[in-house]
Amino acid sequence: MPALKKIALTITSAALLSGFVLSPAAAADKDTSDDKQPKPPSTMSSLGGEQLGKAGTQVNLGPGAPVLPKKLSGRSWIVADAESGDVLAAHNSHWRLPPASTLKMLFADTVLPALQPTTLAHKVTENELSGVGEGSSLVGIKEDHTYTVHDLWLGVFLRSGNDAVHVLSEMYGGVQKTVDAMQAHAEELQALDTVVVSPDGYDAPRQVSSAYDLTLIARSGLQKKDFREYAATASADFPGEKKKGKKRESFEISNTNRLITGDIGVDPYQGIAGVKNGYTTHAGNTFTGVAERNGKVLLVTVMNPSAEESHAVYKEAAHLLDWGFAASGKVTPVGQLVPPRSLDTGTGIGGKGATPAAGAVQGPGGKAEATHASASNGSSGVGTALAIIGGLLVVLAAAVFLVNRRWPMAGRTRGTETDAAETAATAAGTKDAEDTGTAEHTGKAGESAEDTGEAGKDVEDTGKDVEGDPEGAGATASAAPTDKS
């Protein structure tokens, strides 16, 4: 081979080899992980403040304010003062995303006041359970068995049971009536990013909410005594199957909110007082929480974190709460949690996009028909709204105590339609909220998929498209969505 040709081949080989060697290093300089993540819409509602309508992280740090936690991976999040309504920081907070079981907060805020007293007993029919989605999180409701309203709400809040949601919906007047009432109540609260399709949060076409809306809904629900107590309960006894000739047994259920009960890799959060977690295959993990520390009450919502670590939604929520308590008084709010429409004076808290989400059902004349108002008629002004919230601090301080309290169901009359739900007010001491794994609670339809997850995986991630709660021991590996709340 001619010498000149050899030199040319050597130079060409060296050039190619250097390209192979250098290209990985060059690629390492650019993190492309975010390129695969969905981007927020270019236009979002600015209800609550102009900054809230902007994409990306919004925060106005003042002197001495701590920086935001690193590696927050939620598609959307918000941290706000529960009493003043000040939004301390937010990230795509009006991005309309599937809510999963956090939508059960709206269900409870809408339906709780109507189904009273909670001692009311109801015998479940097969038809009432027929609409529960495949792979749903379940508490273990059985047809032809009697439960009190109190039992059913424990099933909703602790186990995120879609079976309990459907029974309560039928007691309210039917699933469609419940959905319509929830939509109307969302609009009354000015949770205008929210479109309700299913009462339990099970994945459904067009069903969306936002971190901002879920925080508004939680703020409203926490003004109700029953709502606060159910949301803060760590564990409770739930009525089991009634076998002929035998005393009706019960089994223990634990709250799937890991900031209350803790789990491998996540500790119970100091001062936590609720509210609701969720998971579906489309929504990912979602969470709204409330906590009190040194006289300050904060709300936080995190939606669909992309981090692959176990319990990422709880860890990121805890980091944001820690930041919020440390930053309180040192940041300029980026917006406000607006008051309900019946109290809104239109003094500039709103912003662009302050209209119901596409697909939302409205009342006559385009106005929302609020089934349950958040304040008495005749009141007006933001001051009144804040006065209503003013009592939140005291009640939450009490609710923090409830987190470590069991809610026994002693005194149940087996085989009858009466149930000593009044024992809900009786504390049975402090007990670890860990799952006891009783026969009633293991491997049956009553087992929540959120409790069946592996140690290295978010417990809420064990199901299919079961409305925010992939619990459901009956969940199959089919293509159906899983709903683990």
Side-chain angles (χ1 to χ4, degrees):
M1 181 181 291
L4 187 59
K5 197 171 202 180
K6 286 184 179 180
I7 294 172
L9 286 173
T10 302
I11 293 174
T12 302
S13 299
L16 290 172
L17 180 59
S18 64
F20 286 124
V21 172
L22 294 176
S23 57
D29 291 338
K30 181 183 178 183
D31 183 1
T32 59
S33 60
D34 288 341
D35 295 344
K36 300 178 182 179
Q37 294 297 319
K39 304 298 182 184
S42 57
T43 301
M44 293 182 285
S45 168
S46 58
L47 181 65
E50 292 296 327
Q51 276 190 266
L52 298 180
K54 297 179 180 180
T57 301
Q58 307 299 316
V59 64
N60 301 323
L61 299 177
V67 297
L68 283 164
K70 296 179 180 179
K71 298 183 180 180
L72 294 173
S73 67
R75 289 186 186 176
S76 174
W77 54 259
I78 189 172
V79 56
D81 187 307
E83 294 187 282
S84 69
D86 289 342
V87 177
L88 306 184
H91 179 80
N92 303 325
S93 62
H94 277 293
W95 191 354
R96 291 168 176 170
L97 298 166
S101 284
T102 51
L103 194 66
K104 288 184 173 80
M105 296 188 296
L106 178 60
F107 171 73
D109 195 34
T110 303
V111 175
L112 253 174
L115 298 183
Q116 297 291 336
T118 58
T119 53
L120 178 67
H122 177 77
K123 190 172 185 178
V124 177
T125 67
E126 179 181 3
N127 183 62
E128 292 171 336
L129 299 174
S130 62
V132 177
E134 181 181 355
S136 283
S137 51
L138 306 170
V139 67
I141 304 294
K142 299 183 182 299
E143 62 183 85
D144 297 326
H145 283 62
T146 298
Y147 302 86
T148 64
V149 170
H150 172 75
D151 294 329
L152 297 171
W153 282 120
L154 287 172
V156 170
F157 277 89
L158 274 66
R159 298 304 298 173
S160 202
N162 290 1
D163 46 358
V165 169
H166 277 258
V167 173
L168 288 166
S169 294
E170 292 298 333
M171 293 177 69
Y172 186 78
V175 169
Q176 190 56 53
K177 179 181 177 180
T178 302
V179 166
D180 292 344
M182 289 169 65
Q183 186 67 60
H185 188 47
E187 293 173 19
E188 157 62 14
L189 296 177
Q190 300 205 69
L192 304 180
D193 298 325
T194 299
V195 176
V196 183
V197 179
S198 64
D200 49 21
Y202 190 94
D203 282 336
R206 298 184 305 104
Q207 181 157 270
V208 291
S209 190
S210 67
Y212 184 88
D213 280 15
L214 293 173
T215 307
L216 284 181
I217 292 165
R219 193 186 190 207
S220 174
L222 288 166
Q223 295 176 54
K224 298 175 175 63
K225 181 177 182 292
D226 288 347
F227 186 107
R228 291 192 304 271
E229 292 186 348
Y230 288 127
T233 300
S235 62
D237 292 328
F238 194 81
E241 185 175 1
K242 175 67 172 69
K243 297 180 180 179
K244 188 175 181 180
K246 294 185 178 181
K247 182 179 180 181
R248 189 175 185 181
E249 298 179 349
S250 64
F251 58 95
E252 184 175 302
I253 57 175
S254 299
N255 200 318
T256 56
N257 178 349
R258 300 310 178 202
L259 290 190
I260 288 180
T261 60
D263 199 8
I264 298 175
V266 57
D267 295 326
Y269 190 82
Q270 181 181 3
I272 193 71
V275 174
K276 191 72 188 76
N277 54 306
Y279 172 89
T280 65
T281 50
H282 295 298
N285 286 287
T286 58
F287 175 74
T288 295
V290 63
E292 183 273 338
R293 184 180 299 174
N294 299 326
K296 179 67 65 176
V297 181
L298 296 182
L299 284 160
V300 65
T301 296
V302 177
M303 302 187 75
N304 201 350
S306 60
E308 295 182 359
E309 67 173 331
S310 175
H311 301 310
V313 73
Y314 299 111
K315 293 175 181 178
E316 294 188 18
H319 291 329
L320 284 168
L321 285 171
D322 286 342
W323 175 85
F325 287 123
S328 181
K330 301 174 183 178
V331 296
T332 300
V334 298
Q336 283 277 317
L337 298 178
V338 295
R341 275 184 168 173
S342 57
L343 300 177
D344 190 1
T345 59
T347 54
I349 291 181
K352 296 178 182 178
T355 57
V361 179
Q362 301 180 57
K367 294 183 179 180
E369 296 178 318
T371 306
H372 305 291
S374 295
S376 58
N377 294 331
S379 299
S380 63
V382 177
T384 304
L386 297 184
I388 293 173
I389 299 295
L392 193 59
L393 176 60
V394 175
V395 298
L396 281 182
V400 173
F401 166 75
L402 292 175
V403 169
N404 293 317
R405 189 182 85 176
R406 286 188 73 250
W407 214 338
M409 298 301 294
R412 179 180 306 282
T413 303
R414 321 291 194 211
T416 70
E417 298 210 355
T418 60
D419 191 298
E422 60 270 17
T423 57
T426 305
T430 305
K431 187 180 185 301
D432 190 309
E434 293 281 328
D435 217 63
T436 57
T438 60
E440 284 280 355
H441 200 70
T442 306
K444 293 189 177 182
E447 181 181 12
S448 165
E450 295 184 301
D451 257 10
T452 60
E454 300 172 355
K457 183 181 183 183
D458 195 320
V459 186
E460 295 180 325
D461 206 303
T462 59
K464 289 214 127 194
D465 168 307
V466 185
E467 167 274 339
D469 210 274
E471 323 152 36
T476 64
S478 68
T482 34
D483 159 49
K484 300 180 219 185
S485 98

